[in-house]
């Protein structure tokens, strides 16, 4: 067996004796670390199970719903979406992810169709940021672009619900004109039909009245819709473990008591039922 190289006069290192206490402490430390890892894994599993990252698309019902990534569905035939490219040109793109041509089922298939909507602090106005980080803008001639890094009145819009068509909106500029779409003229359509290519509809911001061409839908990610977020938070509050219930009562619970407390938590009278069970426990203890 080959031994380590040593020199004359060099002190030999003393060997530490492992005691039973140190062994047990090391084992406890390893056990605690394993438990901690297991606990963190459980937390990760719970986090992954939570539907916080719900990327499904739903329709905005009210102005207050509009937040986060959105898709502006325009009233064209077939339905198209407001889009922009990396140089800031604003145009329309026909929607591919749609069921039977129903605008309420539209989802983006191209990142250029996605805008991020935010309400401007202290106002009721909105701004829309494109996928390239620039804001949607409308000049005095009604021409849209997306080249601005900052928000001025040109990049500020008002969302108005359409009175006679629930679930639809009007996008109004601060000049009180509306976003509108103009279908290609019949002569252009005839030329396009002969070349088997239909020109896209033109989008402008110079409409002075609310019409069918100014009426649009807004699709958004479900996780940003306030009502859906509130229902998810409510469901999260309803979740409670048996150990947490037993800790609140101060003793082990029967299956019926656990079910009763969980039902009360869902129905909103949890604290009253918890008090009843605590009082019953005291009576049972002294009976």
């Amino acid at each position: 067996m080959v031994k380590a190289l040593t020199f004359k006069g060099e002190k030999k290192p003393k060997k530490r004796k492992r005691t039973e206490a140190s062994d047990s402490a090391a084992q406890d430390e390893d056990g605690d670390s394993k438990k901690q890892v297991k606990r963190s894994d459980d937390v990760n599993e719970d986090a992954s199970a939570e539907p916080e990252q719900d990327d499904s698309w739903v329709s905005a019902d009210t102005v207050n719903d509009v937040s986060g990534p959105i898709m502006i569905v325009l009233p064209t035939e077939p339905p198209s979406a407001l889009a922009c490219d990396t140089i800031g040109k604003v145009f329309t793109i026909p929607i591919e992810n749609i069921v039977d041509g129903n605008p309420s089922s539209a989802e983006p298939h191209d990142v250029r169709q996605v805008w991020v909507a935010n309400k401007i602090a202290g106002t009721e106005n909105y701004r829309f940021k494109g996928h390239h980080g620039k804001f949607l803008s409308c000049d005095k001639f009604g021409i849209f672009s997306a080249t601005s890094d900052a928000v001025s009145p040109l990049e500020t819009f008002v969302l108005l619900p359409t009175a006679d068509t629930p679930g639809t909106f009007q996008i109004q500029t601060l000049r009180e004109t509306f976003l509108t779409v103009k279908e290609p003229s019949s002569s252009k359509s005839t030329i396009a039909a002969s070349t088997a290519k239909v020109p896209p509809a033109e989008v402008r911001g110079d409409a002075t009245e609310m019409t069918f061409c100014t009426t649009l839908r807004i699709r958004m990610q479900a996780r940003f819709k306030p009502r859906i977020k509130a229902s998810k938070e409510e469901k999260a509050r309803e979740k409670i473990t048996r150990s947490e219930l037993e800790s609140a009562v101060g003793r082990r619970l029967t299956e019926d008591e656990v079910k009763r407390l969980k039902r009360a938590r869902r129905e909103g009278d949890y604290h009253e039922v918890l008090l009843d069970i605590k009082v019953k426990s005291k009576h049972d203890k002294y009976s």
Side-chain angles (χ1 to χ4, degrees):
M1 182 178 177
V2 179
K3 293 184 177 180
L5 183 64
T6 59
F7 296 92
K8 189 176 179 180
E10 187 178 12
K11 292 182 180 180
K12 294 181 179 180
K14 293 182 180 180
K15 293 182 179 179
R16 290 183 62 187
K17 293 183 179 180
R18 293 179 66 88
T19 61
E20 292 181 3
S22 63
D23 288 340
S24 62
Q27 289 176 359
D28 291 340
E29 192 173 79
D30 290 339
D32 289 340
S33 64
K34 287 178 182 176
K35 287 178 183 176
Q36 191 173 1
V37 170
K38 188 175 180 182
R39 248 183 258 120
S40 65
D41 289 341
D42 291 341
V43 170
N44 290 335
E45 286 179 7
D46 291 340
S48 63
E50 283 294 318
E52 290 297 324
Q53 300 301 322
D54 186 0
D55 291 332
S56 61
W57 289 77
V58 296
S59 294
D61 297 318
T62 66
V63 171
N64 292 330
D65 286 344
V66 179
S67 177
I70 67 166
M71 177 187 187
I72 299 173
V73 183
L74 302 172
T76 58
E77 186 58 43
S80 60
L82 187 71
C84 70
D85 58 19
T86 53
I87 62 172
K89 182 181 177 182
V90 175
F91 50 95
T92 63
I93 295 182
I95 301 170
E96 295 180 7
N97 293 343
I98 192 168
V99 179
D100 297 331
N102 184 359
S104 299
S105 66
E107 293 187 9
H109 68 275
D110 191 321
V111 70
R112 295 177 297 173
Q113 298 173 324
V114 179
W115 301 84
V116 178
N118 286 305
K119 185 179 283 189
I120 300 173
T123 71
E124 294 299 315
N125 302 328
Y126 281 81
R127 61 188 181 188
F128 304 103
K129 184 188 287 187
H131 68 284
H132 60 323
K134 310 289 186 180
F135 292 99
L136 180 67
S137 174
C138 182
D139 66 15
K140 62 181 180 180
F141 302 108
I143 298 173
F144 282 101
S145 62
T147 57
S148 178
D149 292 310
V151 177
S152 71
L154 296 178
E155 290 77 36
T156 303
F157 300 92
V158 180
L159 278 180
L160 301 173
T162 308
D164 55 350
T165 313
T168 63
F169 304 89
Q170 311 285 329
I171 294 182
Q172 186 182 46
T173 70
L174 290 192
R175 288 189 176 86
E176 298 186 354
T177 57
F178 299 95
L179 182 152
T180 185
V181 288
K182 293 184 178 180
E183 297 281 4
S185 62
S186 57
S187 59
K188 290 182 180 179
S189 299
T190 305
I191 296 171
S194 62
T195 58
K197 185 178 179 182
V198 179
E202 181 186 4
V203 59
R204 295 186 59 84
D206 54 2
T208 56
E209 295 180 357
M210 294 184 187
T211 64
F212 173 79
C213 294
T214 66
T215 304
L216 50 87
R217 293 184 183 272
I218 295 178
R219 298 281 289 168
M220 60 182 293
Q221 287 189 343
R223 60 193 171 115
F224 290 97
K225 194 168 183 178
R227 242 175 287 178
I228 295 176
K229 284 176 71 175
S231 64
K232 285 179 182 177
E233 289 171 3
E234 188 178 341
K235 287 180 181 178
R237 285 196 300 270
E238 289 173 2
K239 292 180 181 177
I240 189 168
T241 63
R242 186 191 188 102
S243 59
E244 288 174 330
L245 292 173
E246 290 178 345
S247 176
V249 176
R251 64 172 176 82
R252 294 185 67 83
L253 299 172
T254 64
E255 287 295 331
D256 291 338
E257 288 173 331
V258 171
K259 289 178 181 177
R260 185 183 171 196
L261 283 168
K262 286 186 176 182
R263 184 171 62 252
R265 195 174 173 86
R266 288 193 301 270
E267 294 174 354
D269 57 345
Y270 168 73
H271 294 288
E272 291 83 351
V273 174
L274 179 65
L275 183 61
D276 289 342
I277 291 177
K278 281 185 175 181
V279 171
K280 183 177 180 297
S281 300
K282 288 181 181 179
H283 288 316
D284 292 344
K285 183 177 179 181
Y286 294 109
S287 60

